[in-house]
C-alpha cells in the first residue's frame, strides 16, 4: 500500500543556500511521525516545502498517489495538507471564532463545518470559553491551541505541526501533547517537528533525524529514544 505522504529526493533552496539535500521519507495513514534535528537542520524547511510555501528545485512530493510539489499552497490545503506554523501566527485582531473560520477557507463542504467547530471546541475547552476574544490577547498556550484548531478546521489528511511546544510552560506542553494523541486517535495523521525530542518520540510511531538538510537516521520512535548517539545529541544526555 502506498504511503499517505511521500517525499522523494527533495532539494530546496533559499536563494543560493542548499537547505534540503535530497530528503526522502514517508508518512503512512494514521501515524505520528516526527522530524528531529538541531536548529538549521531543515525541519521547518521540510514542512514549508510540503505546504507549497517553498518550491523544491528537484524531487517529488506525493499525497495519496497524487503529485503535489508543483501545486499552489491553497491547492495543497484543499487536497488535505494543513499546517500549524512555528510561532503560531494567529490573526491577532480577529477573535477565536473568526480565526477558526479562516482555517476552513478551502473547504467546499460548508454543511460539515458545525461538526468541525464542535470537535475543535471539545478538544480545546479554553477556546470555547473565549470564542469572541481577540486572538492577540490570548496567552501563548491558548494561541498554540488556536493555531492547531485552525489547522484542524481544514479537515486535513495530514496535519503538519511546527514546534507546538515552543515557549510553553511544562504543564502546557503536557496538555498539548495529550491533545495531539487524541487528534491522532480520532484519525488524523500527524507529521511533527518538535524541539522537545523526548516528548516527540514519546508520542510518535517513527522518527527521522535530520542534519544539514539530509536524513541521517530513521527508526521506530522507541529505538531512537534508546539509541545512545540520539540520546547524547538530541535528548541532552552525556
Amino acid at each position: 500500500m502506498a504511503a499517505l505522504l511521500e517525499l522523494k529526493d527533495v532539494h530546496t533552496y533559499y536563494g543560493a543556500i542548499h537547505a534540503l539535500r535530497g530528503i526522502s521519507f514517508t508518512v503512512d495513514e494514521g501515524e505520528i511521525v516526527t522530524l528531529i534535528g538541531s536548529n538549521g537542520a531543515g525541519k521547518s524547511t521540510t514542512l514549508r516545502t510540503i505546504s507549497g510555501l517553498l518550491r523544491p528545485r528537484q524531487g517529488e512530493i506525493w499525497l495519496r498517489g497524487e503529485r503535489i510539489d508543483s501545486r499552489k499552497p491553497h491547492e495543497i490545503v484543499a487536497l488535505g495538507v494543513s499546517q500549524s506554523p512555528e510561532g503560531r501566527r494567529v490573526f491577532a485582531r480577529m477573535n477565536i471564532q473568526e480565526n477558526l473560520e479562516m482555517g476552513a477557507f478551502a473547504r467546499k463542504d460548508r454543511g460539515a463545518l458545525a461538526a468541525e467547530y464542535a470537535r475543535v471546541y471539545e478538544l480545546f475547552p479554553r477556546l470555547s470559553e473565549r470564542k469572541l476574544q481577540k486572538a492577540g490577547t490570548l496567552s501563548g498556550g491558548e494561541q498554540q491551541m488556536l493555531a492547531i484548531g485552525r489547522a484542524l478546521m481544514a479537515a486535513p489528511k495530514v496535519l503538519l505541526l511546527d514546534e507546538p511546544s515552543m515557549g510553553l510552560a511544562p504543564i502546557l506542553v503536557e496538555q498539548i501533547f495529550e491533545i495531539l494523541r487524541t487528534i491522532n486517535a480520532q484519525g488524523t495523521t500527524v507529521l511533527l517537528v518538535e524541539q522537545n525530542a523526548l516528548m516527540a518520540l514519546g508520542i510518535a510511531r517513527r522518527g527521522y533525524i535530520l542534519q544539514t538538510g539530509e536524513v541521517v537516521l530513521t527508526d521506530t520512535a522507541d529505538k531512537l529514544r534508546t539509541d545512545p548517539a540520539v540520546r547524547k545529541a538530541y535528548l541532552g544526555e552525556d
Side-chain angles (χ1 to χ4, degrees):
M1 188 175 68
L4 175 57
L5 176 69
E6 183 172 11
L7 279 70
K8 299 179 180 179
D9 191 32
V10 170
H11 294 254
T12 299
Y13 289 73
Y14 289 102
I17 298 170
H18 197 173
L20 298 184
R21 302 168 178 265
I23 287 213
S24 299
F25 66 82
T26 60
V27 181
D28 293 332
E29 192 154 2
E31 284 193 302
I32 298 178
V33 172
T34 187
L35 304 180
I36 292 170
S38 57
N39 288 339
K43 306 183 302 298
S44 293
T45 301
T46 300
L47 297 192
R48 289 171 63 82
T49 302
I50 294 168
S51 295
L53 299 172
L54 294 171
R55 186 65 59 85
R57 201 173 291 182
Q58 181 182 325
E60 301 174 2
I61 303 174
W62 294 78
L63 178 71
R64 276 195 172 166
E66 182 172 352
R67 189 168 173 182
I68 64 170
D69 50 87
S70 61
R71 297 279 199 150
K72 295 176 181 176
H74 70 274
E75 294 174 335
I76 292 172
V77 172
L79 287 169
V81 177
S82 185
Q83 182 169 351
S84 175
E86 181 181 358
R88 298 141 201 169
R89 300 192 185 181
V90 297
F91 299 104
R93 296 183 182 181
M94 293 184 180
N95 64 34
I96 285 172
Q97 181 74 14
E98 290 166 338
N99 268 267
L100 295 181
E101 288 170 7
M102 292 299 290
F105 79 94
R107 292 185 60 171
K108 302 290 191 286
D109 56 338
R110 311 307 289 183
L113 291 185
E116 213 68 62
Y117 286 121
R119 177 196 182 196
V120 170
Y121 285 134
E122 185 176 349
L123 285 166
F124 303 107
R126 287 163 77 166
L127 300 184
S128 181
E129 296 161 7
R130 298 166 168 79
K131 290 179 187 178
L132 300 181
Q133 186 171 332
K134 293 281 194 292
T137 67
L138 299 173
S139 70
E142 289 161 352
Q143 288 189 13
Q144 185 60 68
M145 293 174 185
L146 180 55
I148 296 171
R150 183 181 59 193
L152 287 174
M153 287 300 300
K157 297 179 178 72
V158 183
L159 175 63
L160 309 180
L161 294 170
D162 197 352
E163 304 286 9
S165 81
M166 183 178 285
L168 301 186
I171 190 166
L172 277 175
V173 174
E174 293 278 358
Q175 272 186 288
I176 292 290
F177 273 78
E178 197 53 49
I179 290 165
L180 295 186
R181 281 194 181 93
T182 302
I183 289 168
N184 181 243
Q186 291 175 347
T188 301
T189 303
V190 176
L191 178 59
L192 171 65
V193 162
E194 174 53 54
Q195 60 178 349
N196 189 330
L198 190 60
M199 291 290 289
L201 291 171
I203 68 167
R205 180 180 171 192
R206 296 185 298 115
Y208 293 87
I209 307 292
L210 271 60
Q211 281 181 11
T212 57
E214 299 181 66
V215 175
V216 295
L217 182 63
T218 179
D219 213 325
T220 65
D222 287 341
K223 288 184 178 176
L224 290 174
R225 204 166 53 221
T226 56
D227 184 301
V230 173
R231 295 181 73 88
K232 183 175 181 180
Y234 303 106
L235 306 184
E237 297 188 3
D238 295 328

